[in-house]
Amino acid sequence: MRATAALLEQAGQPFVLTEVDLEDPRPDEVLVRVAGVGICGTDLEFSGFFPTPALLGHEGAGVVEKVGAHVTSVRPGDHVAMSFASCGTCALCRTGSPAYCRGFDAVNFSGGRPDGSTAVTHEGREVNAHFLGQSSFASHVVAPERAVVKIDPSLDLLRAGPFGCGFQTGAGGVLNVLQPRPGSSIAVFGAGAVGVAAVIAAGLSGCEVVAAVDVNPAKLQAARGYGATHTVDSSAGEAAEQLAALVPEGFDFVIDTTGREDVLRTAVEALGPLGRAGVIGIGPSESMSFEWRSVLNGRSVTGIIAGSSLPQLFLPRLLELNATGRFPVEKMITYFPFEQINEAVAAVRSGTVGKAVLTF
């Protein structure tokens, strides 16, 4: 079938709207008509080195139109949110940790299915797709069943997409991994969509001190509205001193969403004894370093993928919290028609929107 898609012909160039051809879903796949798709920082980071021509996008939500012969969890007409893919057969998948699937890179970042094929072609050329199980910068998606989560049809489909990555990642880092006890302290580095989700989750966990750290005063002000008890403007380079003044004995938990070596070092060194650091951000730094004594006294650093979640369980939980007003992320969403994808990307890069969602 034909679908409208935003192709990236070469790294660094704008997306180009065009028509692509999609294969019918295989026995373990699903065809989804996309209603809305969020733009995530991972899309922007990978646009520099994912093989081209590429079809990106991985925060999609929509309606199932067709299912493969072996699909049992959804059927045509179901409303779904989409998340990452996983092999389903390795030990980590079988024990409920698909975010750490041993074949994660192969099924999410190779540009094709595990067998090397692609469901997407453009004018006879194969397109590198299946990005994080979706490639949902398109009107229709062929996704593996494991990347699809059935959701309540009463929920707003346009809002649901970002729960498959950004909101799930930030909230899951707190709720699934760090699991702070009531009365504890946490500092969240980066007050974008992922960081705000972590801030909200920290409030739900009963944290007494929730400090948002960023260089953007507007984002810090917004973080207050989502439950941050304190904000730290790190643009002057004095974040460590400000954090030490807030919690002199050191924070119980920190989360880094920036992917910057200097920020992560500040985060780890802000911890108190037995403090835990969650590393979420995919950013510009290829390595991390910190003074070795900063990890003594029982401090630990944990990498976190996709909120360490099982999407089929965690996404409905988050969406229910949103529906009851306890996870109010809709306030940060700005909607753009799909045709304005390049304008939306520019807005995300400049930080003028919290979360951009493309609509069809």
Side-chain angles (χ1 to χ4, degrees):
M1 67 164 293
R2 302 282 282 179
T4 302
L7 285 189
L8 186 68
E9 290 285 354
Q10 291 186 8
Q13 292 187 352
F15 290 95
V16 177
L17 262 66
T18 187
E19 296 293 307
V20 298
D21 292 298
L22 297 182
E23 290 183 357
D24 281 340
R26 291 184 175 182
D28 62 344
E29 292 178 335
V30 177
L31 175 67
V32 178
R33 172 172 49 84
V34 180
V37 53
I39 297 176
C40 176
T42 304
D43 293 309
L44 306 186
E45 291 295 332
F46 274 79
S47 66
F49 55 86
F50 194 72
T52 56
L55 181 53
L56 302 176
H58 66 284
E59 289 187 342
V63 179
V64 175
E65 291 198 339
K66 187 181 294 186
V67 301
H70 298 164
V71 172
T72 59
S73 63
V74 295
R75 60 185 181 181
D78 283 345
H79 288 203
V80 295
M82 292 179 280
S83 194
F84 58 88
S86 53
C87 75
T89 60
C90 72
L92 294 169
C93 284
R94 294 198 308 270
T95 53
S97 298
Y100 306 104
C101 169
R102 296 191 186 280
F104 194 91
D105 286 355
V107 297
N108 288 289
F109 299 130
S110 69
R113 298 182 176 103
D115 66 2
S117 66
T118 176
V120 186
T121 57
H122 176 243
E123 296 179 347
R125 299 178 302 161
E126 290 189 343
V127 173
N128 293 285
H130 305 277
F131 182 66
L132 277 161
Q134 301 176 43
S135 285
S136 48
F137 284 166
S139 61
H140 292 77
V141 169
V142 174
E145 181 183 14
R146 289 182 61 82
V148 172
V149 180
K150 183 179 177 180
I151 63 174
D152 190 322
S154 68
L155 299 174
D156 184 351
L157 273 176
L158 299 186
R159 187 189 307 168
F163 284 84
C165 184
F167 299 154
Q168 167 181 251
T169 296
V174 175
L175 299 175
N176 297 335
V177 181
L178 298 184
Q179 300 180 356
R181 63 191 179 278
S184 58
S185 58
I186 185 170
V188 178
F189 290 75
V194 175
V196 164
V199 165
I200 296 172
L204 291 172
S205 301
C207 291
E208 182 176 348
V209 176
V210 182
V213 186
D214 206 291
V215 297
N216 187 323
K219 287 185 176 182
L220 291 174
Q221 183 178 358
R224 287 272 191 181
Y226 293 106
T229 61
H230 301 79
T231 57
V232 173
D233 186 341
S234 57
S235 60
E238 299 175 352
E241 293 81 357
Q242 295 180 64
L243 291 165
L246 288 178
V247 185
E249 67 275 18
F251 280 79
D252 298 310
F253 304 96
V254 297
I255 278 190
D256 173 57
T257 72
T258 70
R260 293 180 57 95
E261 180 182 1
D262 56 336
V263 175
L264 181 58
R265 178 168 184 154
T266 299
V268 170
E269 294 178 355
L271 288 169
L274 295 179
R276 296 183 64 197
V279 182
I280 290 177
I282 297 176
S285 297
E286 295 184 359
S287 62
M288 66 175 79
S289 66
F290 23 81
E291 202 273 329
W292 66 271
R293 283 171 291 191
S294 65
V295 295
L296 296 181
N297 296 324
R299 296 167 180 148
S300 61
V301 180
T302 302
I304 302 171
I305 296 175
S308 197
S309 74
L310 181 59
Q312 285 71 18
L313 296 179
F314 193 56
L315 293 195
R317 176 186 175 192
L318 284 185
L319 287 165
E320 175 62 23
L321 287 170
N322 176 253
T324 57
R326 300 179 65 197
F327 201 81
V329 289
E330 64 274 10
K331 296 187 295 183
M332 78 173 75
I333 296 175
T334 302
Y335 295 100
F336 294 81
F338 184 61
E339 295 76 15
Q340 294 181 11
I341 183 172
N342 290 308
E343 291 85 345
V345 167
V348 172
R349 290 192 184 278
S350 68
T352 56
V353 300
K355 168 61 69 174
V357 171
L358 305 171
T359 62
F360 291 84

